[in-house]
Amino acid sequence: MNAPWKPAGAAVREPFVAYVCDDTTADALRPVVAELGWSVEKINKGGLRAGVQALSVSASPQILFVDLAESGDPLNDINGLAEVCEPGTVVIAAGQVNDVRLYRDLVASGIQDYLLKPLHPDMLRDAFGQAQALLHAPKAADVAVDRPHAAIAVIGARGGVGASTVASSVAWLLAEREGRSTALLDLDIHFGTAALALDLEPGRGLTDAIENPSRIDGLFIERAMVRASEKLAVLSAEAPINAPLVTDGAAFYQLQEEMRASFECTIVDLPRGMLVQHPHLMSDVQIAVIVTELTLAAARDTIRLLSWMKSNAPQTQVQVLANRVLTAGTPEITRKDFETSIERKIDFSVPMDQKLACQAAKLGKPLAEAGKTTKTVTPLVDLVTALSRMGVGAGGDAVSAVKTTTLLGKIGDFKSLMAKRSPAKK
């Protein structure tokens, strides 16, 4: 469970507390609790509701037993318990509803086990034994070994250039092709598509983190992230559009910190507006992929992003990916003119493939998975290979290739680009 830590009570945490609904459950608990050396006086009446009220003003125990028999909405009530229960508490629930879906949902919400009533002594001994083993197991920080972590931000130069499509594909390729445990963090709180691209429900984890950053820890990450596969997990949101985002960015920074401890790679689908509001998000990002298109507006904003990166995140290696590049017909700006304008080469070019994009959307799969054998996906595979080859923490400055001419001077070159476009017929 993940509520804010209450320091005043940390030193006096009880080994066990229970909140039950009936005498039968209390009678089943007492001999086993006494056998384990715990106080039978800690078996309280009132069920889950009494537990939430008590824990909101007192320290959480190491092991908490709650009775859900009188709960009309067990899953929602357990989430309410999480608001007041401190990190590190092992929660065991009991109830009368024999439903495997409920069991899975409760375990996914953060409890250790769900026991079906009536309770038997052996059932309780096993559950409490597992809880004690979990408490005494080495913490992740104790057994962790130094391993490189790749933090990669994918930023669209313009809205609609396909940055989210690239982010989901890069995350999928790192997880499935490179075999690296990967987190995909979609910071478009209201309109993000990371979960949609993987045919998942986004959940409330990201909005919960923004509303209460103090809850963010390793257990929160484990509970809040939605698993797309064994190696890939997603954290995103679909916040109501009448609910403005009010945050100082602390939650985003803490999420990155916790993901760094839990995953080998973090892919951040980073809306460009975040660079203005929360520039600190780039402080620990080793690689940025700027996704653009061959248009005048995208050229202007690619220049601006490259300049921002050089000034505000010089430690970040930058890759430029041109997306949805026409294979037939004439683009608004040719690749050569685009590269002249931004004063560096385009690193990767993904061709326009409307048929594959529609197929991926219908299947609920990232583009890289839906078209894994197509030429369209080859540049994305090459990008992931390059990201792996770059290594982590190398500190290389891929932006250094950009010349130090003024931004205004670069934008001035657009006049010549505009002159090359065919004049409109009168």
Side-chain angles (χ1 to χ4, degrees), residues 66 142 148 192 231 276 335 385:
V66 290
D142 299 332
K231 292 285 188 177
V276 179
R335 176 168 178 165
T385 300

Side-chain angles (χ1 to χ4, degrees), residues 244-300:
L245 177 64
V246 181
T247 175
D248 60 359
F252 304 140
Y253 189 81
Q254 288 177 254
L255 284 171
Q256 289 178 301
E257 286 287 307
E258 292 298 336
M259 287 180 178
R260 185 176 295 107
S262 302
F263 296 89
E264 294 175 81
C265 303
T266 301
I267 306 299
V268 184
D269 187 351
L270 186 64
R272 55 188 178 147
M274 287 283 190
L275 298 179
V276 179
Q277 297 175 328
H278 310 296
H280 64 278
L281 292 179
M282 291 298 298
S283 61
D284 293 323
V285 172
Q286 291 100 343
I287 305 167
V289 179
I290 296 177
V291 181
T292 187
E293 59 186 0
L294 301 185
T295 65
L296 189 66
R300 180 201 66 179

